[in-house]
Amino acid sequence: MPSTPFSRRTLFAGTAAGAIALTATGQAHAAAIGVDDRVNWGTYLGGLDPVWASVPTTFYQGPFLGNGGLGAAVYRISNKLAFKLGDTRVRDHQGTGGTNFGNARLPIGHLTLNTTGNVTDVDLRLSLHNAELTGTVTTASGVLNISAYVHAEQDVLVVTATVKSGNEKVAWTFTPSKARSPRLDFKPAPSGLKTNPDPKVSGTTCTQDLAAGGQTVTKWQINGDTMYATVAHTFPDKTANAKATQTLAAATSNAQLRNEHVRWWNSFYPKSFVSVADTRLESFYWIQLYKLASATRRDRPVLGTCGPWLEPTPWPGTWWNLNVQLEYWILNATNHQELDSLSYSLDRSRDALVANVPSQYRSDSMGIARTTQEDLKGGVAQPGADGDPECGNLLWALHNAWLGYRHSMDDDALRNFVFPLLRKAVNYHLHFLTKDSKGVYHLPKTFSPEYASSKDCNYDLALLHWGCTALIQANQRLNLNDPLVPKWRDVLDNLTKPPQDSTSGYWIGADVKFNKSHRHYSHLLWFYPLYEHDVTTNAAHRDALTKSVKHWLSFTGAQQGYTFTGSGSMYALLGDGDKARGQLVTLLDKYVQPNTMYKESGPVIETPLSGAQTMHDMLVQSWGGIVRIFPAAPAAWASVTLHNVKTEGAFRISAVRKAGKTVFVRVKSEAGEPLRLHPGNLPGPVEVRELPSGNQVSFQQNADGTLTIPLARNQDVVISTKGANPDLVIEPAGANTKRYWGMP
């Protein structure tokens, strides 16, 4: 049976059920103990690498490289191996038609390894550890050795190709793409949209001037067997050529560039470790972390739906009503705030967020539209307005920022970034709340993403409720004495209850029942990811979520991949690890492509990334002030290893599960916050020892199965069965001998 947050039978072995016990310190001469990290990262990740024994012919089959700005997708085009270039910073600036047309992300073109013979076979491996593609390419004229990477910190694609056998020769050509919005292949052009000039190729430089000003320049150079390429985009100035020239001038030594690149990536992964005895999902998980680091960095543009790899798509921008939020969740547990371009973009775009709301509300409010580019400019509708006013997106994006704060407990970030933006985002909704004759607050019509508009829309109600709760918590922590605290409390006390019924669960809103297939779970944000309703202690909430998920999934026509990641995380919240894993297996079977990308009408990057977060939700949860270890580990994951997984409260968690039982839990506090821990199905009675001294640490056993452990900043402890003294070994949960991803 999967472990659940409620099981405390083993924890209280030898203690009266429901009793509260306090264990005192002791052992003046305890033996020193420590964590033994035995992970060989090169070997471990090497066993999870995607490989190609067949020639990839589409983006969804091929390897992908990137550094958060420049990207390259590798697959066969016109019988040759091509490196299709993309860049998160390359877009139009006309304005006409907004994000999807006049401001759309623009395609660049592809570099072709112009071999004498057509490509007939490949033997390729994408090393996750080194972020490098290596192997052989076979053509009708011979065999080439090849290696390729996009430098981790410089905007340079480096490809080395040498003849291994036969009469093959190596040359490079560049084929530019037209600088037009990909959406034009799906929708007609808006009136006034200008056609950009044709690109001009001269020698090893391609210049793409834009009708609105600015330009994109692609430049490449050959040095022996190695090709170096870069892309530069400038606006409004036409200085991209100088920028590209400068970048390539610094790219003179492949050996030096590769050493820098490999060093960055080798130091990237060990910040956390997650291993489950389920090779297909384990490999999928680590490819998602590679993907996110290839797609974005803190100082790069906020992620668009495609990442840096722009393919045919009706969505050439950033979507704020689900996509962007799901894209970033995994960076918290993995401790990779250096990838948080979402928070950085929100912080630096405050003026745009203010300008997005109607002028009469700009003194105290902020908002964001459904879609924007990296400047975050996009007018937000007014609640109650005609059409479908989608108003809650900024609140949801700021929940991501809040999670970033909660995992770091950085009070400066809370004071200077999260609180002031959240205050203004909540204010926008407060302007439109009205009380009825019974003193209950209601919202006018707003839009539940991709479903319908309704009064008292659950999407907005849940986000507003969370926002007021978070503001009150922040105000108390920072001692701000904000004058709006009484208003926030009034809203929490008197906000209308979520529209629902006892049969089907939560509705879209007061005017709209949930009665058709819907890929989004916007009506269920109360439960996940906001956790405003606690299903572990409140039977009514648990029943409501159970019915809501069942009803939601009963309509199958419009489901998509993130239907299964979202429902998987909700099953994890309910403690049902087997169902959660089942949703992930369905995701992989039906929706995820050979290289772990995902597509609907075009590539959308958020769904596989959120699948990795579902795995986190099965293994560690930390909402509501409790850190829960293995809250929904499925029976299939009898062996699990976690190391330095970050939780809310800024705790670093290590834990090992073997034969379906928790062996030990190690917690290091980075901020000295109060720790309340549920140790999963760790057999009791338990003890807490300090690392490295081995001294006993006082703790309190609570009636709900949790432990309260007072920890100072940087204090490190291990929780285990009393007297067991387990070896604190961190190593992979199982052997990975089968390849699942790529085209093995």
Side-chain angles (χ1 to χ4, degrees), residues 439-695:
V440 176
Y441 279 115
H442 297 275
L443 273 174
K445 178 187 73 171
T446 56
F447 186 60
S448 185
E450 296 194 4
Y451 198 101
S453 291
S454 174
K455 295 178 182 177
D456 291 334
C457 176
N458 266 320
Y459 178 67
D460 292 87
L461 289 178
L463 289 164
L464 177 59
H465 191 278
W466 163 77
C468 289
T469 302
L471 287 171
I472 291 171
Q473 292 174 357
N475 175 79
Q476 181 177 357
R477 183 175 180 90
L478 299 175
N479 296 313
L480 297 177
N481 297 314
D482 194 288
L484 286 178
V485 169
K487 178 66 173 181
W488 301 331
R489 294 192 186 279
D490 184 36
V491 171
L492 293 181
D493 291 341
N494 297 293
L495 189 65
T496 187
K497 303 301 181 186
Q500 60 185 293
D501 63 51
S502 60
T503 302
S504 59
Y506 277 32
W507 296 7
I508 294 298
D511 304 326
V512 181
K513 291 186 177 182
F514 188 96
N515 58 13
K516 64 180 180 180
S517 186
H518 185 40
R519 58 184 180 174
H520 276 252
Y521 45 92
S522 48
H523 63 303
L524 299 179
L525 297 192
W526 287 100
F527 299 102
Y528 184 83
L530 302 181
Y531 298 107
E532 286 298 286
H533 290 166
D534 187 348
V535 304
T536 66
T537 61
N538 187 304
H541 289 332
R542 187 176 184 85
D543 181 64
L545 177 57
T546 301
K547 289 178 177 177
S548 296
V549 172
K550 182 179 180 180
H551 187 65
W552 169 37
L553 298 179
S554 69
F555 301 95
T556 59
Q559 292 176 355
Q560 291 290 354
Y562 55 76
T563 307
F564 294 88
T565 66
S567 58
S569 289
M570 292 177 204
Y571 283 131
L573 174 58
L574 291 167
D576 194 333
D578 291 336
K579 282 188 177 179
R581 181 179 179 274
Q583 297 302 89
L584 288 178
V585 170
T586 299
L587 169 74
L588 269 52
D589 288 346
K590 293 184 63 176
Y591 297 97
V592 174
Q593 302 299 304
N595 62 358
T596 80
M597 290 293 182
Y598 166 78
K599 65 177 178 178
E600 292 180 15
S601 298
V604 268
I605 196 173
E606 83 291 319
T607 292
L609 295 175
S610 67
Q613 178 59 32
T614 300
M615 294 178 67
H616 287 159
D617 293 332
M618 296 162 69
L619 298 173
V620 182
Q621 296 175 20
S622 56
W623 54 272
I626 299 175
V627 177
R628 302 161 181 85
I629 307 301
F630 304 136
W637 294 357
S639 296
V640 180
T641 302
L642 307 177
H643 188 43
N644 287 334
V645 172
K646 201 80 171 284
T647 71
E648 293 189 45
F651 299 108
R652 282 166 43 192
I653 302 295
S654 303
V656 169
R657 169 182 167 94
K658 291 184 178 180
K661 297 292 184 181
T662 303
V663 178
F664 71 86
V665 180
R666 171 257 188 172
V667 182
K668 182 172 183 178
S669 173
E670 293 188 346
E673 292 295 306
L675 173 63
R676 192 174 173 192
L677 175 83
H678 195 296
N681 58 357
L682 178 69
V686 303
E687 62 182 356
V688 181
R689 293 173 292 159
E690 188 173 34
L691 299 176
S693 69
N695 291 333

Side-chain angles (χ1 to χ4, degrees), residues 106-109 176-181 196-199 208:
L106 296 175
I108 297 168
S177 298
K178 288 186 176 295
R180 63 190 294 274
S181 168
N196 285 313
D198 289 336
Q208 174 65 71

Side-chain angles (χ1 to χ4, degrees), residues 284-509:
F284 169 81
Y285 173 89
W286 285 102
I287 294 171
Q288 302 324 298
L289 197 56
Y290 164 81
K291 184 187 298 178
L292 186 62
S294 299
T296 196
R297 304 288 169 78
R298 182 171 176 81
D299 62 345
R300 300 297 169 91
V302 63
L303 267 173
T305 57
C306 299
W309 308 285
L310 188 64
E311 292 285 320
T313 177
W315 308 303
T318 297
W319 254 249
W320 292 90
N321 60 4
L322 175 138
N323 306 69
V324 78
Q325 290 84 354
L326 272 61
E327 288 162 357
Y328 288 89
W329 280 341
I330 66 170
L331 61 79
N332 293 309
T334 57
N335 198 22
H336 284 296
Q337 295 304 314
E338 77 275 19
L339 306 183
D340 190 6
S341 54
L342 172 57
S343 292
Y344 185 77
S345 296
L346 291 168
D347 190 22
R348 71 182 178 187
S349 302
R350 299 185 191 205
D351 290 345
L353 297 174
V354 170
N356 287 342
V357 301
S359 58
Q360 63 268 38
Y361 304 111
R362 290 175 187 166
S363 63
D364 65 358
S365 299
M366 285 180 171
I368 201 164
R370 179 181 302 165
T371 66
T372 73
Q373 291 298 344
E374 86 294 336
D375 56 10
L376 275 55
K377 294 179 179 179
V380 64
Q382 182 172 310
D386 293 340
D388 291 318
E390 191 172 294
C391 306
N393 299 333
L394 180 58
L395 281 171
W396 194 2
L398 286 169
H399 181 256
N400 281 57
W402 172 261
L403 289 176
Y405 155 69
R406 287 288 301 156
H407 282 75
S408 69
M409 300 308 296
D410 181 346
D411 284 344
D412 287 339
L414 179 63
R415 178 181 291 105
N416 299 320
F417 164 51
V418 180
F419 181 84
L421 270 69
L422 182 57
R423 190 179 190 272
K424 289 190 173 185
V426 166
N427 273 349
Y428 188 56
H429 278 70
L430 294 183
H431 284 297
F432 304 99
L433 281 178
T434 57
K435 271 188 175 180
D436 64 19
S437 60
K438 296 180 180 179
V440 176
Y441 279 115
H442 297 275
L443 273 174
K445 178 187 73 171
T446 56
F447 186 60
S448 185
E450 296 194 4
Y451 198 101
S453 291
S454 174
K455 295 178 182 177
D456 291 334
C457 176
N458 266 320
Y459 178 67
D460 292 87
L461 289 178
L463 289 164
L464 177 59
H465 191 278
W466 163 77
C468 289
T469 302
L471 287 171
I472 291 171
Q473 292 174 357
N475 175 79
Q476 181 177 357
R477 183 175 180 90
L478 299 175
N479 296 313
L480 297 177
N481 297 314
D482 194 288
L484 286 178
V485 169
K487 178 66 173 181
W488 301 331
R489 294 192 186 279
D490 184 36
V491 171
L492 293 181
D493 291 341
N494 297 293
L495 189 65
T496 187
K497 303 301 181 186
Q500 60 185 293
D501 63 51
S502 60
T503 302
S504 59
Y506 277 32
W507 296 7
I508 294 298

Side-chain angles (χ1 to χ4, degrees), residues 241-258:
N241 186 60
K243 186 177 179 181
T245 299
Q246 183 178 12
T247 299
L248 286 187
T252 57
S253 169
N254 185 16
Q256 179 180 340
L257 288 171
R258 187 181 181 279

